[in-house]
Structures are given as C-alpha cells and as structure tokens.
Amino acid sequence: MTTARIARAFALVLAAVVVAGCASSTLTRLAYANAALAYNNLVPTLTWMVDGYVDLSDAQEDWVRARISSQVQWHRAKELPRYGRFLEGVLAKTAQPFTADDVAPVYREVRAYYHALAEHTIPDVAEFLAGLNEEQVAQLARKFSDDNRKFERESLNGTPQERRRKRMHRFVGHLEGWVGSLEREQRELVAAFYAEMLDFSDELLGERRFRQGEILSIVRARASREQANAQLKRLLVDTDSWRRPEYIEKVRARDRKMFELLGKLSATLTERQRAALQDRLRGFIDDVASLTRAE
C-alpha cells in the first residue's frame, strides 16, 4: 500500500527523464513546479495520504509522521547526494543527441534508486500494517477497490483508439514539461510509437489487484514482521519473481522501444528545446544541492 506511494513521492525529487510519464498526481505536478517545496512538505503530505487509506488514530498518526520524518532525514543525508551526481551526469549527456544505449543505463539507475528506497521503507510499512485493526483493514480493502475503479475509468474506458490517444496525450504532456512544445515531426514520432505499442492497461490492473490481494492477505494472516518484510520485498522490488515470463518479455520489449523513441526525439531537439531540458535539469540539481545543504 504505502511503500510504492512513499517511494514514488521521494523519487519525484529525482524527476529523471525516463520516469516523467509514470504518474500524473498532484504531488507529481508540484514536484515539476517546485521540487524543493514538494520535498520539504513530504512529511505532512504522505501522512495525509496514509490517512486517506485508513482512519488513523492519534497515536498512529504520530507514529506515521515520526517514521516518515525519519525516512526523509535518511533520504536527505544518504540518497540526495547520489541524485545530484546522477543528474549532473544526465545533464552532461544532453549537450549532444543521446541514443537508446545512453537511455537504458539511466533507466536502470533510476530503478536502482527506487528499489533502494523501497527496501529501506518496507520495514516501517510492515510494522504499520501489523498494527491495523479489523475496521482499518476493511477500510484499506475499500480504498483499494476505489483506486481500481478510478484506474478503470482513466485507463480502460473507451475504444482502443481512444485509450491510445489518452496515453499519448499524457506522454506528450510530460515530455513537454521537460522540453517545451513539440514540433510536428516530434509529434509524428510519438504517434508512430503509440500506434505500434501494445496497451498494458489490463495487465497493469491485474498486477494492482494481485499486489493488493497479497497485502491484505499479509495483514489478515497477522504475519510476523520478518515474513511481512520478505513478502513486501517480493511484491514491490523482486517483481520478476512472480510475473509471468511472457509479460516480463513484453515489458522489456516496450522499454527498448521507449528508449529508441527517446533517442530519436533527442536527435530532433531544437536549440530552444535542448536549452529548456538543460534548464529543467539544472533547476533540479540546484534543488537537490539546496536540500542537501539544509540537512
């Protein structure tokens, strides 16, 4: 439940190019506009998000706030300096067009940061889940169902063509947040990519339901902390251990095509767009430096 959300919220500070299209939440938009402000408000924001899943008692709210605060302190001290160096490396690569082979290791590094954060957060999540009462477990199940219905409305309604247009529109919006308005040739490249790309929405919904069901099983079984830690790590980090092999290959094929698209787009960037991308990266680098100094 909360691990993925907490990890994604921290990861927004990264705002790496290859994950720009992963989410469209209020927190994402805030991070794009002002990463430092989003980061400095993580404790109240994430506490509020957890309370949106279960009605926290006063004691639970204090515990959640304290644990998130501790996670933020760790992240600021240990992870942000790594992000700064990473972003400096990405910025250096933008001086010239980059290729799919340049994008792939950037993506892998971002995923490694996410996994490190998730693994650090999971023990707190396991302890939190172990303290839920029966009514809170029921609330959690209902919220999972609400989230799934929202996902269906946003991603599964409409014809295949309408769904493709929605996905493409979201991607263009994120891309333009980095480089400014796209040229006609660039929009055609994106359209060609989405014309060939399979729709993973049904499978994503299936994965969401699987994870949610497993989390509810962990809570209802009153698993030990060690068991819960291991099961959450498997669900949220070691995903290839339970995904179907054919789905894993489809995801990898999609990623390769995405890297190729980003390489093609890089070759078409205008001077204005390249400058906008570099300015955005420098802004995040400055934010990371400021936040690190404030530790």
Side-chain angles (χ1 to χ4, degrees), residues 25 56 80 98 149 172 200 218 242 246 255 260 278:
S25 66
L56 298 174
L80 280 187
F98 44 84
R149 284 192 290 271
V172 168
F200 284 73
I218 292 170
W242 50 267
E246 59 271 25
D255 290 345
E260 290 169 3
Q278 292 171 338

Side-chain angles (χ1 to χ4, degrees), residues 67-187:
R67 290 303 178 95
I68 292 174
S69 179
S70 177
Q71 290 285 351
V72 171
Q73 291 172 14
W74 164 80
H75 189 266
R76 190 191 297 267
K78 301 298 185 182
E79 295 295 282
L80 280 187
R82 298 173 63 202
Y83 293 3
R85 293 189 293 272
F86 165 76
L87 289 169
E88 290 279 6
V90 173
L91 176 61
K93 287 182 171 63
T94 63
Q96 301 294 330
F98 44 84
T99 67
D101 289 340
D102 295 321
V103 176
V106 171
Y107 175 79
R108 288 194 294 270
E109 191 163 354
V110 171
R111 294 297 299 170
Y113 290 143
Y114 169 81
H115 288 159
L117 176 59
E119 289 194 45
H120 196 271
T121 309
I122 280 171
D124 283 349
V125 176
E127 188 172 346
F128 172 75
L129 292 174
L132 297 181
N133 60 39
E134 292 302 319
E135 175 54 31
Q136 289 173 322
V137 176
Q139 291 170 353
L140 180 59
R142 289 194 294 271
K143 188 62 169 65
F144 281 160
S145 295
D146 290 343
D147 283 352
N148 292 338
R149 284 192 290 271
K150 180 180 179 183
F151 180 89
E152 291 183 61
R153 288 195 304 272
E154 293 178 350
S155 301
L156 296 178
N157 285 347
T159 65
Q161 293 76 17
E162 290 169 338
R163 288 161 59 168
R164 183 182 301 114
R165 281 195 295 271
K166 286 181 184 178
R167 298 197 309 277
M168 185 171 68
H169 178 74
R170 285 195 295 266
F171 178 80
V172 168
H174 287 297
L175 191 59
E176 291 188 332
W178 286 94
V179 302
S181 58
L182 298 186
E183 304 289 326
R184 179 178 177 180
E185 175 190 2
Q186 294 165 334
R187 289 180 176 273

